[in-house]
Amino acid sequence: MKSNKRLVIAVNTRLLLKGKLEGIGRFAHETLKRMVQAMPEAEFHFFFDRPWHSDFIYGPNVIPHVLYPQARHPFLYLAFFEVAVPYMLKKIQADVYFSPDGYLSLASDVPQIGVMHDIAFMHFPQDIGKIHAWHYHRWFPKFAHKAAQILTVSQYSKQDICRTWKITPDKIGVVYNGCSEIFQPLSEIEKVQVCQTYSQGRPYFLYAGAIQPRKNLENLLLAFDAFKTKTGLPHCLVLTGRKAWNFGEVVKTYESMRHKADVIFTGYVTDEVLNQLYNAAQALVYVSRFEGFGLPLLEAMHAETALISSNTSSMPEVAGEAALYVNPESVGEIQAAISRLAEDDALRSALIEKGRKQRKKFSWDQTAQACLEAILRVS
């Protein structure tokens, strides 16, 4: 660290969007507000790509900037990260550049830290647009080798990055996600009210996350349809989250369902509403094909909701013993898990109790501290 001036930390904050925080944006929000408060003596320069919201200016030591162009397309990423970012890094005399979404700048010699949450695009390129797949495959290996330090959110992702891009393990630190204090238990009366609002008073299973191919919603819908046909139980399936990309197959599967009237799409909801939905659900059914972490699993544990989870990638690492695990490619296994938790109150209670213990392993305070330590190491 330079001793003759205040530490200058530049941060890529383009995903701090009011009312639109998802996984990586939430990670940035929760960690940065703690980092800013923990280091009042440092100077944080936030790089936005559009006008910022005051909610994301976490202290008087934050100086926001709007850089152009808006980085929402691979061609614009190049202009933003390889022209605008290095120009600003030089202008503010940054000591370190921290990027919560992994995008670095090959055109700058400032020490850089990239948080690479997962490299799903290497394993499922067909699930994203061709131009985006090309961009990620071309640039992210370069970012990984350029970085002074890589951070990622699970041991699984660390091993995946090491193996895929031949990165030495000591260059990668694991900084697990935490959970917002918004996610917490509600009273039984409140849960009844949630059911009345969202599922006509009926019990329901919940999916939370973006609507996109990797989340495996086609198999979830088929499994739920089979559960309804086999059991005749009154349960609904509530799907909450925005339509992200390539969601056409989900729509086709939904339209072909025998029990599609029992499926409810809420669209994107606020964290407060999401907490309500977790609380009143019979279980969160999170059968994604691949996750770097799987934040809804942790949120649901804090809301004291039972879990059905895929047995792949990072998800067993996050959920521990608090989930009923399934092969995400097996509609039969998913259907059987839904049936068990619909009818076995004792099992559901046991999973919730295990979740109370498992969730203690993760906190945003620990995550922010680990990020700050990485910044101090390389600056």
Side-chain angles (χ1 to χ4, degrees), residues 208-332:
I211 310 297
Q212 52 116 318
R214 181 165 51 85
K215 302 300 184 178
N216 197 31
L217 296 183
E218 298 99 309
N219 280 348
L220 172 55
L221 290 171
L222 291 172
F224 178 74
D225 214 25
F227 156 75
K228 292 288 291 187
T229 298
K230 185 174 182 179
T231 67
L233 291 171
H235 295 60
C236 298
L237 175 64
V238 176
L239 304 175
T240 185
R242 70 180 175 92
K243 292 179 180 177
W245 56 80
N246 291 356
F247 53 82
E249 290 303 315
V250 174
V251 174
K252 287 181 183 177
T253 303
Y254 166 75
E255 291 295 344
S256 70
M257 290 177 66
R258 178 180 177 184
H259 301 280
K260 65 180 179 181
D262 297 307
V263 178
I264 300 162
F265 290 87
T266 69
Y268 181 88
V269 298
T270 65
D271 285 349
E272 290 79 6
V273 171
L274 183 56
N275 182 56
Q276 294 172 357
L277 289 168
Y278 281 136
N279 264 273
Q282 296 282 286
L284 173 72
V285 189
Y286 201 71
V287 291
S288 174
R289 292 188 170 94
F290 184 100
E291 294 293 326
F293 185 86
L295 188 56
L297 295 170
L298 181 55
E299 292 171 345
M301 283 190 278
H302 277 266
E304 302 195 347
T305 303
L307 305 176
I308 296 172
S309 169
S310 295
N311 60 6
T312 61
S313 60
S314 66
M315 288 171 276
E317 185 179 345
V318 174
E321 297 181 355
L324 198 57
Y325 289 103
V326 298
N327 174 356
E329 301 304 334
S330 171
V331 171

Side-chain angles (χ1 to χ4, degrees), residues 70-306:
Q70 290 187 2
R72 293 295 184 271
H73 185 277
F75 295 126
L76 300 178
Y77 295 157
L78 294 177
F80 187 86
F81 290 106
E82 300 303 326
V83 179
V85 166
Y87 170 81
M88 189 58 68
L89 291 174
K90 184 175 182 180
K91 182 177 179 179
I92 66 173
Q93 296 184 307
D95 294 297
V96 61
Y97 175 58
F98 179 71
S99 181
D101 66 7
Y103 276 90
L104 302 182
S105 177
L106 303 181
S108 175
D109 292 328
V110 171
Q112 300 178 51
I113 299 172
V115 184
M116 298 187 176
H117 298 255
D118 64 61
I119 53 172
F121 53 85
M122 298 295 295
H123 307 292
F124 298 92
Q126 70 278 8
D127 288 350
I128 56 179
K130 289 184 179 180
I131 187 65
H132 286 86
W134 171 86
H135 178 85
Y136 296 147
H137 276 254
R138 177 176 175 82
W139 292 98
F140 267 79
K142 297 179 186 291
F143 296 155
H145 287 279
K146 172 75 172 180
Q149 173 89 66
I150 298 169
L151 300 177
T152 192
V153 294
S154 63
Q155 291 293 338
Y156 174 85
S157 282
K158 175 177 178 174
Q159 295 164 11
D160 196 24
I161 293 169
C162 288
R163 181 174 56 250
T164 303
W165 292 334
K166 305 297 186 288
I167 303 294
T168 179
D170 59 8
K171 186 177 179 176
I172 306 177
V174 174
V175 291
Y176 287 113
N177 282 308
C179 186
S180 169
E181 60 276 7
I182 289 172
F183 297 100
Q184 55 185 292
L186 299 178
S187 70
E188 292 304 315
I189 292 176
E190 289 172 307
K191 293 178 185 178
V192 170
Q193 293 172 339
V194 173
C195 286
Q196 290 173 345
T197 300
Y198 291 98
S199 61
Q200 300 85 46
R202 293 184 289 167
Y204 66 87
F205 289 89
L206 177 69
Y207 163 80
I211 310 297
Q212 52 116 318
R214 181 165 51 85
K215 302 300 184 178
N216 197 31
L217 296 183
E218 298 99 309
N219 280 348
L220 172 55
L221 290 171
L222 291 172
F224 178 74
D225 214 25
F227 156 75
K228 292 288 291 187
T229 298
K230 185 174 182 179
T231 67
L233 291 171
H235 295 60
C236 298
L237 175 64
V238 176
L239 304 175
T240 185
R242 70 180 175 92
K243 292 179 180 177
W245 56 80
N246 291 356
F247 53 82
E249 290 303 315
V250 174
V251 174
K252 287 181 183 177
T253 303
Y254 166 75
E255 291 295 344
S256 70
M257 290 177 66
R258 178 180 177 184
H259 301 280
K260 65 180 179 181
D262 297 307
V263 178
I264 300 162
F265 290 87
T266 69
Y268 181 88
V269 298
T270 65
D271 285 349
E272 290 79 6
V273 171
L274 183 56
N275 182 56
Q276 294 172 357
L277 289 168
Y278 281 136
N279 264 273
Q282 296 282 286
L284 173 72
V285 189
Y286 201 71
V287 291
S288 174
R289 292 188 170 94
F290 184 100
E291 294 293 326
F293 185 86
L295 188 56
L297 295 170
L298 181 55
E299 292 171 345
M301 283 190 278
H302 277 266
E304 302 195 347
T305 303

